[in-house]
Amino acid sequence: MSRLNFKLEQQAPGSRARAGSFTTAHGEVRTPVFMPVGTQATVKGQTVESLKATGARVLLANTYHLMLRPGPAVFEKLGGIHRFMNWDGPVLTDSGGFQIFSLPGERAMNEEGARFKSYVDGTNYLLSPETSVAMQRAIGSDINMVLDQCIPSTAGFAEAEAAMRLTHRWAERSLRARGDGPQAMFGIVQGACHHDLRKTSAAYLTKLPFDGLAIGGLAVGETHAERYEFTGFVTDFLPANLPRYLMGVGTPIDILEAVHRGVDMFDCIIPSQLAQRGTVFSSHGKLRLTRACYKFDEAALDAACDCHTCKTFSRAYLHHLVKADELLGWHLLATHNMAYYHRLMREMRAAIFAGTFLAYYERQRTELVRADDENPSVPQKRTRAPTLPRLGDYDIVKAAEGFASIRQISSGEVMHSVNRPSDEADRLYVEQSGLAGRLVRQGDDDDGEFVIWDVGLGAASNAMAALQCFERVLAERGAAAVRPMRLVSFEIDLDPLRLAAKHAQFFPHLRHGAPHALLANGRWTHPTGRLVWELHHGDFLEKFPATAAPEVIFYDPFSMKTDGALWRPEVFARMRAHCAPKPAELFTYSSATAVRVALLSAGFYVGDGVSTGPRAATTVAAALRPQGQGEGRGARVMKLLGEEWLARWRRSDAKFPASLATTEEARAEFSARIEGHPQFGRR
Ligand SMILES: [Zn+2]
């Protein structure tokens, strides 16, 4: 018999969204529900009263942090977390697994559990299924999570399978340790981005007497498309009569997408974390209160919101608090963001009951990703600050948001113009290629060099993002666990990097010895010898045939308009031939039809990449047919372009590459090649 007595109250027509409720010793919870994160038995900057006023019902607390400080004895003496923090609603505790496996620091893991040193006082600890359950019992939470082994969602099949099997054995030990105690317990479905494993894990855990099931191991490295796909895939295999919890997710749009796919419970630090940076969600898009356009703005933060912040203060005052870095600014913005999240959950629940969820979902899909449309950002080309330095054909431009980029003066083209350069580099290239997971050796004989091509070094944003990813993996795993990496950068004009390196105060990613050594010597080697970064100065087309074939290509030259030569079908065909037989993947910021058709005609398999800020779509291309799920390292879901794209291409003005002869024959032959591409399923 379930300890939560979950009732499925309503199922939305045309969607898998559902409304339900369950009961704990501290009251009833209605789903879908968002749980604010109270890491240290407090939600940062909030009082219990302010939390309740925003609509919070269940809190999440972190076993790992509370185990180290204040420790179980304090909870036992003070009568559990409810009395300790004066919160009388339900509390869910995680197991500590996520922190153990994701925070930097030393740990030794085996079948028994994970041994690590406390960051508080250096004491040695063992986090095992039994010690985690004992700590959660001392905390006195209403819902316990089992200890699981968390790995990057980009992990290869073998690593993911081993972690899943261990998680299953630990799940059984956790249930035994809980025994017939009163606390509810959730199992956690693992399996990274491998369909077979996710299915196996869901089936296995469903047979055990859990009170709810969670989906773990997402929001740690996969693309949004993958996150949505795997969420929906897993909920298909979960029983309808248990609550479902998607751990650590996410933004409002992530939550909407997951509710649509049948998830009931969520937690995330985003509402508080974004507030700390001065950002809020609102009914007219995401607002950055750091922007000067709010300095004299007397309006409420969000006229459609009835939270304390919106009822009481002007945007001008909130802008001032944020600029002055006052604690109250963080508190007030977080209060609003929490109210926004809880209102979103209530609206979804109401729409499910009203039978209108599908329409709500379709409307909100675009609403929830809107930027600030009352005060659109001024395009950067007009914000040139004449006092900033220049070199040759390049100068430094600063965005309204405060970050700097390099601009080519003659073309007006700005490198990484829409996002903070390092953010875009991380998201578009490093995360999307699953680099962190692929740098981990899969066995003793796995010592092949991992080669990355960085085409268009520019100010080294992408190269440094890859290098820093390598250094993170190295710090977390130790040199013996990391594959050697070769970073091959191509650049015809070094002025952008010279200019940025000289003014590194504007470019945080360049506060590192490597780019300076690269400029001086054309090469840099990591002190461990495991990473070599080499510079090929000159025309990419002349240079690349003499370099090692890559597994991953960051393709970031200037746009087709500025540098058409690098986007021609012939160039992509030569690159693909050079990579063979490696299953190389190419990532690029462009989603232009002309670029995609050039890649297709060169034989690449082409799909949608992640969106980055205002860029709605980017492009991923694979030199060989993407492997089936679970085959080999880095096998990821790739959303290949399909019939819909093909239909758009047939109507497009940019149907043929500019370099193609304009004869009927040439065009017919080109069209046949695209139409007959195996990715469209017709040979
Ligand atoms: Zn508000």
Side-chain angles (χ1 to χ4, degrees):
M1 182 62 206
S2 161
R3 285 166 173 76
L4 295 177
N5 195 21
F6 177 77
K7 289 196 200 73
L8 179 56
E9 296 172 338
Q10 188 72 46
Q11 185 79 49
S15 162
R16 283 143 73 197
R18 46 197 229 145
S21 63
F22 60 82
T23 318
T24 73
H26 293 89
E28 192 197 42
V29 176
R30 293 171 178 178
T31 64
V33 67
F34 177 77
M35 306 182 283
V37 179
T39 303
Q40 308 273 9
T42 168
V43 176
K44 291 194 188 306
Q46 297 289 323
T47 64
V48 162
E49 291 72 26
S50 67
L51 278 173
K52 284 187 177 168
T54 62
R57 185 70 191 122
V58 194
L59 297 189
L60 178 140
N62 289 122
T63 296
Y64 168 82
H65 293 288
L66 297 178
M67 179 174 189
L68 305 188
R69 183 173 50 203
V74 170
F75 287 101
E76 279 155 8
K77 169 117 196 319
L78 276 288
I81 193 168
H82 296 90
R83 185 157 166 260
F84 187 49
M85 67 175 287
N86 192 35
W87 171 261
D88 58 8
V91 173
L92 177 147
T93 37
D94 65 7
S95 66
F98 181 76
Q99 283 78 17
I100 285 289
F101 295 111
S102 65
L103 293 185
E106 287 204 12
R107 70 198 152 243
M109 228 256 328
N110 59 24
E111 184 70 32
E112 186 188 15
R115 289 188 186 278
F116 64 98
K117 231 183 226 325
S118 162
Y119 68 86
V120 176
D121 60 7
T123 320
N124 288 309
Y125 278 86
L126 168 68
L127 187 70
S128 68
E130 292 77 16
T131 61
S132 174
V133 169
M135 183 63 209
Q136 295 183 69
R137 185 184 301 127
I139 293 172
S141 54
D142 300 274
I143 301 175
N144 292 2
M145 301 302 299
V146 299
L147 185 66
D148 60 335
Q149 191 193 357
C150 304
I151 52 169
S153 53
T154 47
F157 189 84
E159 188 193 356
E161 184 179 26
M164 179 197 76
R165 301 273 174 220
L166 183 68
T167 296
H168 291 173
R169 292 192 294 274
W170 284 0
E172 302 213 32
R173 279 167 55 187
S174 301
L175 281 168
R176 277 199 296 278
R178 193 271 314 261
D180 51 13
Q183 293 169 294
M185 183 172 273
F186 279 31
I188 305 176
V189 176
Q190 286 288 358
C193 287
H194 301 284
H195 290 92
D196 291 358
L197 296 182
R198 287 283 178 182
K199 186 177 166 185
T200 305
S201 187
Y204 186 92
L205 296 172
T206 298
K207 291 197 195 108
L208 300 178
F210 283 115
D211 307 295
L213 290 168
I215 304 171
L218 290 180
V220 281
E222 77 287 358
T223 65
H224 284 254
E226 284 171 338
R227 186 176 312 162
Y228 300 155
E229 140 136 32
F230 276 92
T231 301
F233 180 80
V234 172
T235 54
D236 257 351
F237 296 100
L238 299 181
N241 64 350
L242 291 181
R244 304 157 176 177
Y245 165 28
L246 181 55
M247 301 176 77
V249 173
T251 60
I253 183 70
D254 283 343
I255 291 179
L256 177 80
E257 294 286 356
V259 166
H260 177 55
R261 289 164 173 79
V263 177
D264 308 307
M265 301 166 68
F266 302 88
D267 77 281
C268 193
I269 57 169
I270 282 177
S272 171
Q273 195 180 59
L274 283 189
Q276 191 180 12
R277 298 180 197 159
T279 299
V280 295
F281 299 101
S282 85
S283 59
H284 29 246
K286 211 162 156 187
L287 314 183
R288 286 192 182 80
L289 268 295
T290 47
R291 295 179 56 202
C293 59
Y294 301 117
K295 188 168 180 179
F296 297 100
D297 193 341
E298 286 190 76
L301 184 55
D302 183 356
C305 178
D306 63 354
C307 81
H308 171 67
T309 305
C310 293
K311 279 192 307 197
T312 319
F313 301 102
S314 64
R315 290 174 174 181
Y317 181 60
L318 297 168
H319 167 79
H320 161 70
L321 291 177
V322 168
K323 293 302 274 188
D325 210 12
E326 280 294 332
L327 276 181
L328 182 62
W330 179 13
H331 166 78
L332 291 174
L333 297 190
T335 301
H336 165 79
N337 276 347
M338 300 269 182
Y340 178 93
Y341 266 67
H342 295 307
R343 185 166 51 243
L344 175 68
M345 307 314 289
R346 285 196 305 274
E347 282 178 7
M348 287 193 286
R349 186 174 154 89
I352 293 167
F353 277 111
T356 55
F357 180 83
L358 195 58
Y360 178 85
Y361 165 74
E362 290 297 347
R363 195 168 65 244
Q364 292 292 94
R365 278 177 90 177
T366 46
E367 286 291 305
L368 293 182
V369 294
R370 274 162 68 184
D372 182 357
D373 40 41
E374 280 175 26
N375 297 288
S377 296
V378 181
Q380 282 188 350
K381 285 179 192 172
R382 279 186 266 145
T383 61
R384 177 176 169 198
T387 53
L388 288 171
R390 57 188 285 178
L391 175 66
D393 191 19
Y394 301 90
D395 62 1
I396 295 174
V397 289
K398 287 188 85 178
E401 288 84 353
F403 63 82
S405 304
I406 298 283
R407 175 174 64 170
Q408 187 179 39
I409 298 167
S410 56
S411 67
E413 197 159 325
V414 179
M415 299 176 177
H416 298 277
S417 59
V418 289
N419 282 320
R420 197 174 288 277
S422 53
D423 288 356
E424 179 160 294
D426 274 334
R427 218 172 123 55
L428 180 53
Y429 299 108
V430 171
E431 288 176 21
Q432 199 172 211
S433 63
L435 182 59
R438 294 164 81 169
L439 286 175
V440 177
R441 292 173 69 195
Q442 305 291 303
D444 285 345
D445 52 350
D446 181 13
D447 218 23
E449 195 173 53
F450 191 83
V451 180
I452 299 176
W453 277 7
D454 166 45
V455 183
L457 170 68
S461 299
N462 303 334
M464 283 306 296
L467 187 150
Q468 283 165 343
C469 173
F470 174 89
E471 290 188 330
R472 277 197 303 277
V473 175
L474 193 73
E476 282 167 24
R477 302 287 196 131
V482 179
R483 289 174 73 187
M485 173 169 144
R486 181 173 298 270
L487 182 55
V488 184
S489 289
F490 299 91
E491 185 53 81
I492 194 161
D493 187 348
L494 293 176
D495 280 351
L497 182 57
R498 290 196 187 107
L499 176 62
K502 196 170 156 203
H503 301 281
Q505 73 271 25
F506 296 125
F507 300 94
H509 70 279
L510 296 179
R511 293 176 206 147
H512 189 292
H516 305 273
L518 188 81
L519 274 177
N521 313 319
R523 189 183 171 86
W524 177 78
T525 306
H526 190 270
T528 57
R530 308 284 289 177
L531 165 62
V532 176
W533 184 9
E534 56 189 46
L535 171 63
H536 295 266
H537 182 194
D539 186 351
F540 170 68
L541 301 177
E542 288 167 17
K543 293 285 178 182
F544 84 74
T547 65
E551 278 168 71
V552 164
I553 303 170
F554 298 165
Y555 207 67
D556 195 12
F558 276 118
S559 72
M560 206 168 343
K561 216 173 75 210
T562 307
D563 191 358
L566 292 189
W567 302 93
R568 291 201 318 261
E570 302 77 13
V571 171
F572 290 130
R574 281 178 56 202
M575 284 166 65
R576 184 164 170 265
H578 183 73
C579 293
K582 278 193 186 180
E585 288 175 315
L586 178 149
F587 300 86
T588 186
Y589 62 88
S590 174
S591 61
T593 302
V595 168
R596 291 176 161 190
V597 82
L599 283 161
L600 283 166
S601 76
F604 277 92
Y605 290 77
V606 179
D608 278 323
V610 293
S611 60
T612 67
R615 255 197 249 291
T618 59
T619 297
V620 181
L624 305 178
R625 179 187 279 280
Q627 292 174 319
Q629 285 317 304
E631 290 174 40
R633 189 206 305 273
R636 296 170 317 107
V637 184
M638 191 170 146
K639 281 263 181 276
L640 290 178
L641 304 177
E643 281 299 329
E644 214 174 293
W645 181 88
L646 203 54
R648 273 209 309 279
W649 170 71
R650 290 185 194 117
R651 299 191 301 268
S652 165
D653 298 336
K655 198 171 167 191
F656 301 105
S659 58
L660 190 74
T662 51
T663 60
E664 285 290 312
E665 292 84 355
R667 295 192 155 193
E669 195 225 347
F670 187 85
S671 289
R673 201 173 334 146
I674 299 301
E675 299 270 355
H677 193 293
Q679 100 167 52
F680 299 115
R682 292 167 301 185
R683 285 185 176 276

